Amino acid sequence: MSDDEVRRRPESRGPSCPFAWCTTRHGQTTHEADEDHRSGGRSLTLTLRDGRDGAAIATADVEVGLLHRRSDSRTWLVIENGRDIRVQITAESAHDLLAAVLADPAVADELGVATAEGDR
């Protein structure tokens, strides 16, 4: 079953899951930690440069998705590869980052996304 099919089937989340984006099959997992709320996630390859050594360029396969652990009070945008890349940004901060990109026409144009004024 695809991530999109799981997302379209709210019953797969369980009757009490408050997050429309959650794909966890609550009550059907094998481990207590698997009950955390997770989105389907998307895989992509990023080209990265270490800010401490501008010459070190590498590519990394990562997954991007949402996570809200049962012990969390916030939802996080997670970018990780399961090894050495693990970045978590609060959903509010991710929203602010997206708004900043969209509010700057030069940055939005370079990234190929619509600006706050609806250009492009």
Side-chain angles (χ1 to χ4, degrees), residues 7-33:
R7 261 193 287 291
R8 283 193 290 262
R9 293 183 53 222
E11 69 275 8
S12 70
R13 294 190 322 263
S16 62
C17 184
F19 301 106
W21 48 261
C22 180
T23 60
T24 299
R25 295 178 183 263
H26 296 293
Q28 299 175 29
T29 61
T30 58
H31 189 272
E32 185 75 15

mmCIF file of all heavy atoms in Angstrom, residues 7-33:
data_model
loop_
_atom_site.group_PDB
_atom_site.id
_atom_site.type_symbol
_atom_site.label_atom_id
_atom_site.label_comp_id
_atom_site.label_asym_id
_atom_site.label_seq_id
_atom_site.Cartn_x
_atom_site.Cartn_y
_atom_site.Cartn_z
ATOM 1 N N ARG A 7 -2.535 7.615 3.727
ATOM 2 C CA ARG A 7 -3.004 8.940 4.127
ATOM 3 C C ARG A 7 -4.496 9.116 3.848
ATOM 4 O O ARG A 7 -5.173 9.824 4.566
ATOM 5 C CB ARG A 7 -2.218 10.018 3.384
ATOM 6 C CG ARG A 7 -1.102 10.603 4.210
ATOM 7 C CD ARG A 7 -0.570 11.849 3.566
ATOM 8 N NE ARG A 7 0.209 11.587 2.380
ATOM 9 C CZ ARG A 7 1.390 11.004 2.375
ATOM 10 N NH1 ARG A 7 1.939 10.609 3.480
ATOM 11 N NH2 ARG A 7 2.033 10.810 1.251
ATOM 12 N N ARG A 8 -4.997 8.504 2.786
ATOM 13 C CA ARG A 8 -6.407 8.659 2.441
ATOM 14 C C ARG A 8 -7.299 7.763 3.291
ATOM 15 O O ARG A 8 -8.503 7.870 3.224
ATOM 16 C CB ARG A 8 -6.613 8.344 0.963
ATOM 17 C CG ARG A 8 -6.160 9.467 0.062
ATOM 18 C CD ARG A 8 -6.672 9.243 -1.335
ATOM 19 N NE ARG A 8 -6.019 8.130 -1.997
ATOM 20 C CZ ARG A 8 -5.011 8.248 -2.836
ATOM 21 N NH1 ARG A 8 -4.535 9.424 -3.137
ATOM 22 N NH2 ARG A 8 -4.477 7.186 -3.393
ATOM 23 N N ARG A 9 -6.707 6.863 4.070
ATOM 24 C CA ARG A 9 -7.490 5.944 4.882
ATOM 25 C C ARG A 9 -7.344 6.323 6.353
ATOM 26 O O ARG A 9 -6.534 5.755 7.066
ATOM 27 C CB ARG A 9 -7.016 4.511 4.672
ATOM 28 C CG ARG A 9 -7.293 3.998 3.278
ATOM 29 C CD ARG A 9 -6.871 2.556 3.125
ATOM 30 N NE ARG A 9 -7.455 1.735 4.164
ATOM 31 C CZ ARG A 9 -6.780 0.788 4.804
ATOM 32 N NH1 ARG A 9 -5.537 0.548 4.530
ATOM 33 N NH2 ARG A 9 -7.374 0.061 5.721
ATOM 34 N N PRO A 10 -8.126 7.305 6.830
ATOM 35 C CA PRO A 10 -7.958 7.730 8.221
ATOM 36 C C PRO A 10 -8.149 6.605 9.220
ATOM 37 O O PRO A 10 -7.593 6.641 10.304
ATOM 38 C CB PRO A 10 -9.013 8.816 8.409
ATOM 39 C CG PRO A 10 -9.802 8.884 7.169
ATOM 40 C CD PRO A 10 -9.162 8.006 6.136
ATOM 41 N N GLU A 11 -8.909 5.569 8.866
ATOM 42 C CA GLU A 11 -9.115 4.475 9.811
ATOM 43 C C GLU A 11 -7.805 3.749 10.105
ATOM 44 O O GLU A 11 -7.680 3.076 11.117
ATOM 45 C CB GLU A 11 -10.178 3.496 9.298
ATOM 46 C CG GLU A 11 -9.768 2.680 8.078
ATOM 47 C CD GLU A 11 -10.000 3.374 6.748
ATOM 48 O OE1 GLU A 11 -10.345 4.559 6.722
ATOM 49 O OE2 GLU A 11 -9.816 2.699 5.716
ATOM 50 N N SER A 12 -6.791 3.876 9.231
ATOM 51 C CA SER A 12 -5.513 3.213 9.474
ATOM 52 C C SER A 12 -4.765 3.852 10.635
ATOM 53 O O SER A 12 -3.887 3.247 11.205
ATOM 54 C CB SER A 12 -4.648 3.227 8.211
ATOM 55 O OG SER A 12 -4.202 4.530 7.926
ATOM 56 N N ARG A 13 -5.111 5.086 10.978
ATOM 57 C CA ARG A 13 -4.449 5.777 12.080
ATOM 58 C C ARG A 13 -5.011 5.344 13.423
ATOM 59 O O ARG A 13 -4.414 5.578 14.447
ATOM 60 C CB ARG A 13 -4.629 7.289 11.938
ATOM 61 C CG ARG A 13 -3.940 7.865 10.746
ATOM 62 C CD ARG A 13 -3.941 9.379 10.781
ATOM 63 N NE ARG A 13 -5.140 9.966 11.287
ATOM 64 C CZ ARG A 13 -6.141 10.419 10.541
ATOM 65 N NH1 ARG A 13 -6.102 10.329 9.249
ATOM 66 N NH2 ARG A 13 -7.198 10.959 11.093
ATOM 67 N N GLY A 14 -6.173 4.781 13.425
ATOM 68 C CA GLY A 14 -6.847 4.453 14.670
ATOM 69 C C GLY A 14 -7.854 5.546 14.978
ATOM 70 O O GLY A 14 -7.719 6.681 14.541
ATOM 71 N N PRO A 15 -8.861 5.214 15.730
ATOM 72 C CA PRO A 15 -9.960 6.148 15.955
ATOM 73 C C PRO A 15 -9.592 7.378 16.778
ATOM 74 O O PRO A 15 -10.257 8.397 16.678
ATOM 75 C CB PRO A 15 -11.003 5.299 16.673
ATOM 76 C CG PRO A 15 -10.235 4.186 17.296
ATOM 77 C CD PRO A 15 -9.053 3.942 16.393
ATOM 78 N N SER A 16 -8.532 7.310 17.574
ATOM 79 C CA SER A 16 -8.239 8.435 18.460
ATOM 80 C C SER A 16 -7.040 9.271 18.025
ATOM 81 O O SER A 16 -6.632 10.156 18.754
ATOM 82 C CB SER A 16 -8.013 7.919 19.884
ATOM 83 O OG SER A 16 -6.885 7.057 19.900
ATOM 84 N N CYS A 17 -6.464 9.026 16.864
ATOM 85 C CA CYS A 17 -5.293 9.791 16.434
ATOM 86 C C CYS A 17 -5.736 11.193 16.014
ATOM 87 O O CYS A 17 -6.575 11.348 15.130
ATOM 88 C CB CYS A 17 -4.579 9.102 15.272
ATOM 89 S SG CYS A 17 -3.065 9.983 14.812
ATOM 90 N N PRO A 18 -5.137 12.232 16.613
ATOM 91 C CA PRO A 18 -5.558 13.602 16.314
ATOM 92 C C PRO A 18 -4.889 14.207 15.074
ATOM 93 O O PRO A 18 -5.238 15.321 14.693
ATOM 94 C CB PRO A 18 -5.135 14.365 17.571
ATOM 95 C CG PRO A 18 -3.917 13.635 18.040
ATOM 96 C CD PRO A 18 -4.185 12.168 17.719
ATOM 97 N N PHE A 19 -3.942 13.516 14.444
ATOM 98 C CA PHE A 19 -3.172 14.095 13.351
ATOM 99 C C PHE A 19 -3.586 13.501 12.010
ATOM 100 O O PHE A 19 -3.377 12.313 11.750
ATOM 101 C CB PHE A 19 -1.677 13.881 13.569
ATOM 102 C CG PHE A 19 -1.180 14.475 14.857
ATOM 103 C CD1 PHE A 19 -0.857 13.665 15.924
ATOM 104 C CD2 PHE A 19 -1.064 15.856 15.006
ATOM 105 C CE1 PHE A 19 -0.411 14.203 17.123
ATOM 106 C CE2 PHE A 19 -0.625 16.404 16.205
ATOM 107 C CZ PHE A 19 -0.298 15.583 17.262
ATOM 108 N N ALA A 20 -4.116 14.330 11.135
ATOM 109 C CA ALA A 20 -4.569 13.876 9.815
ATOM 110 C C ALA A 20 -3.421 13.325 8.978
ATOM 111 O O ALA A 20 -3.627 12.464 8.134
ATOM 112 C CB ALA A 20 -5.259 15.018 9.079
ATOM 113 N N TRP A 21 -2.194 13.772 9.216
ATOM 114 C CA TRP A 21 -1.041 13.349 8.424
ATOM 115 C C TRP A 21 -0.405 12.058 8.950
ATOM 116 O O TRP A 21 0.472 11.477 8.308
ATOM 117 C CB TRP A 21 0.013 14.461 8.379
ATOM 118 C CG TRP A 21 0.326 15.060 9.724
ATOM 119 C CD1 TRP A 21 -0.184 16.224 10.226
ATOM 120 C CD2 TRP A 21 1.195 14.537 10.742
ATOM 121 N NE1 TRP A 21 0.310 16.444 11.499
ATOM 122 C CE2 TRP A 21 1.164 15.424 11.826
ATOM 123 C CE3 TRP A 21 1.991 13.397 10.825
ATOM 124 C CZ2 TRP A 21 1.890 15.223 12.995
ATOM 125 C CZ3 TRP A 21 2.726 13.184 11.989
ATOM 126 C CH2 TRP A 21 2.666 14.100 13.058
ATOM 127 N N CYS A 22 -0.815 11.584 10.094
ATOM 128 C CA CYS A 22 -0.193 10.420 10.733
ATOM 129 C C CYS A 22 -0.530 9.138 9.978
ATOM 130 O O CYS A 22 -1.687 8.871 9.664
ATOM 131 C CB CYS A 22 -0.662 10.308 12.182
ATOM 132 S SG CYS A 22 0.059 8.893 13.058
ATOM 133 N N THR A 23 0.500 8.345 9.697
ATOM 134 C CA THR A 23 0.306 7.059 9.018
ATOM 135 C C THR A 23 0.562 5.871 9.950
ATOM 136 O O THR A 23 0.543 4.727 9.508
ATOM 137 C CB THR A 23 1.234 6.937 7.787
ATOM 138 O OG1 THR A 23 2.590 7.042 8.221
ATOM 139 C CG2 THR A 23 0.918 8.014 6.761
ATOM 140 N N THR A 24 0.803 6.138 11.230
ATOM 141 C CA THR A 24 1.028 5.064 12.194
ATOM 142 C C THR A 24 -0.253 4.271 12.377
ATOM 143 O O THR A 24 -1.328 4.836 12.552
ATOM 144 C CB THR A 24 1.473 5.646 13.552
ATOM 145 O OG1 THR A 24 2.697 6.368 13.363
ATOM 146 C CG2 THR A 24 1.689 4.551 14.584
ATOM 147 N N ARG A 25 -0.125 2.971 12.344
ATOM 148 C CA ARG A 25 -1.290 2.096 12.578
ATOM 149 C C ARG A 25 -1.389 1.840 14.086
ATOM 150 O O ARG A 25 -0.983 0.776 14.572
ATOM 151 C CB ARG A 25 -1.140 0.815 11.781
ATOM 152 C CG ARG A 25 -1.172 1.066 10.291
ATOM 153 C CD ARG A 25 -0.978 -0.235 9.530
ATOM 154 N NE ARG A 25 -0.937 0.038 8.113
ATOM 155 C CZ ARG A 25 -1.992 -0.084 7.309
ATOM 156 N NH1 ARG A 25 -3.140 -0.466 7.781
ATOM 157 N NH2 ARG A 25 -1.864 0.181 6.026
ATOM 158 N N HIS A 26 -1.906 2.844 14.779
ATOM 159 C CA HIS A 26 -1.987 2.782 16.239
ATOM 160 C C HIS A 26 -2.731 1.531 16.690
ATOM 161 O O HIS A 26 -3.747 1.154 16.128
ATOM 162 C CB HIS A 26 -2.681 4.032 16.783
ATOM 163 C CG HIS A 26 -1.925 5.292 16.506
ATOM 164 N ND1 HIS A 26 -0.708 5.557 17.088
ATOM 165 C CD2 HIS A 26 -2.196 6.334 15.685
ATOM 166 C CE1 HIS A 26 -0.272 6.731 16.650
ATOM 167 N NE2 HIS A 26 -1.157 7.214 15.790
ATOM 168 N N GLY A 27 -2.156 0.877 17.712
ATOM 169 C CA GLY A 27 -2.747 -0.337 18.246
ATOM 170 C C GLY A 27 -2.356 -1.584 17.477
ATOM 171 O O GLY A 27 -2.657 -2.693 17.901
ATOM 172 N N GLN A 28 -1.666 -1.398 16.335
ATOM 173 C CA GLN A 28 -1.245 -2.548 15.529
ATOM 174 C C GLN A 28 0.269 -2.633 15.409
ATOM 175 O O GLN A 28 0.784 -3.388 14.607
ATOM 176 C CB GLN A 28 -1.853 -2.438 14.127
ATOM 177 C CG GLN A 28 -3.367 -2.427 14.114
ATOM 178 C CD GLN A 28 -3.906 -2.206 12.724
ATOM 179 O OE1 GLN A 28 -3.286 -2.575 11.732
ATOM 180 N NE2 GLN A 28 -5.077 -1.600 12.637
ATOM 181 N N THR A 29 0.978 -1.834 16.197
ATOM 182 C CA THR A 29 2.434 -1.837 16.137
ATOM 183 C C THR A 29 2.992 -2.895 17.082
ATOM 184 O O THR A 29 2.283 -3.384 17.961
ATOM 185 C CB THR A 29 3.001 -0.448 16.499
ATOM 186 O OG1 THR A 29 2.597 -0.122 17.832
ATOM 187 C CG2 THR A 29 2.500 0.617 15.538
ATOM 188 N N THR A 30 4.273 -3.229 16.908
ATOM 189 C CA THR A 30 4.872 -4.281 17.725
ATOM 190 C C THR A 30 5.658 -3.751 18.916
ATOM 191 O O THR A 30 5.971 -4.504 19.825
ATOM 192 C CB THR A 30 5.819 -5.154 16.867
ATOM 193 O OG1 THR A 30 6.812 -4.318 16.289
ATOM 194 C CG2 THR A 30 5.048 -5.884 15.789
ATOM 195 N N HIS A 31 5.999 -2.471 18.906
ATOM 196 C CA HIS A 31 6.806 -1.896 19.982
ATOM 197 C C HIS A 31 6.166 -0.601 20.442
ATOM 198 O O HIS A 31 5.612 0.148 19.646
ATOM 199 C CB HIS A 31 8.239 -1.647 19.480
ATOM 200 C CG HIS A 31 9.175 -1.255 20.569
ATOM 201 N ND1 HIS A 31 9.362 0.047 20.952
ATOM 202 C CD2 HIS A 31 9.972 -2.011 21.364
ATOM 203 C CE1 HIS A 31 10.244 0.091 21.937
ATOM 204 N NE2 HIS A 31 10.632 -1.138 22.200
ATOM 205 N N GLU A 32 6.251 -0.331 21.721
ATOM 206 C CA GLU A 32 5.662 0.878 22.308
ATOM 207 C C GLU A 32 6.113 2.159 21.596
ATOM 208 O O GLU A 32 5.310 3.046 21.333
ATOM 209 C CB GLU A 32 6.033 0.947 23.798
ATOM 210 C CG GLU A 32 5.401 2.076 24.549
ATOM 211 C CD GLU A 32 3.924 1.863 24.850
ATOM 212 O OE1 GLU A 32 3.447 0.725 24.729
ATOM 213 O OE2 GLU A 32 3.258 2.846 25.189
ATOM 214 N N ALA A 33 7.409 2.256 21.244
ATOM 215 C CA ALA A 33 7.930 3.463 20.578
ATOM 216 C C ALA A 33 7.364 3.636 19.163
ATOM 217 O O ALA A 33 7.383 4.733 18.617
ATOM 218 C CB ALA A 33 9.454 3.427 20.525
#
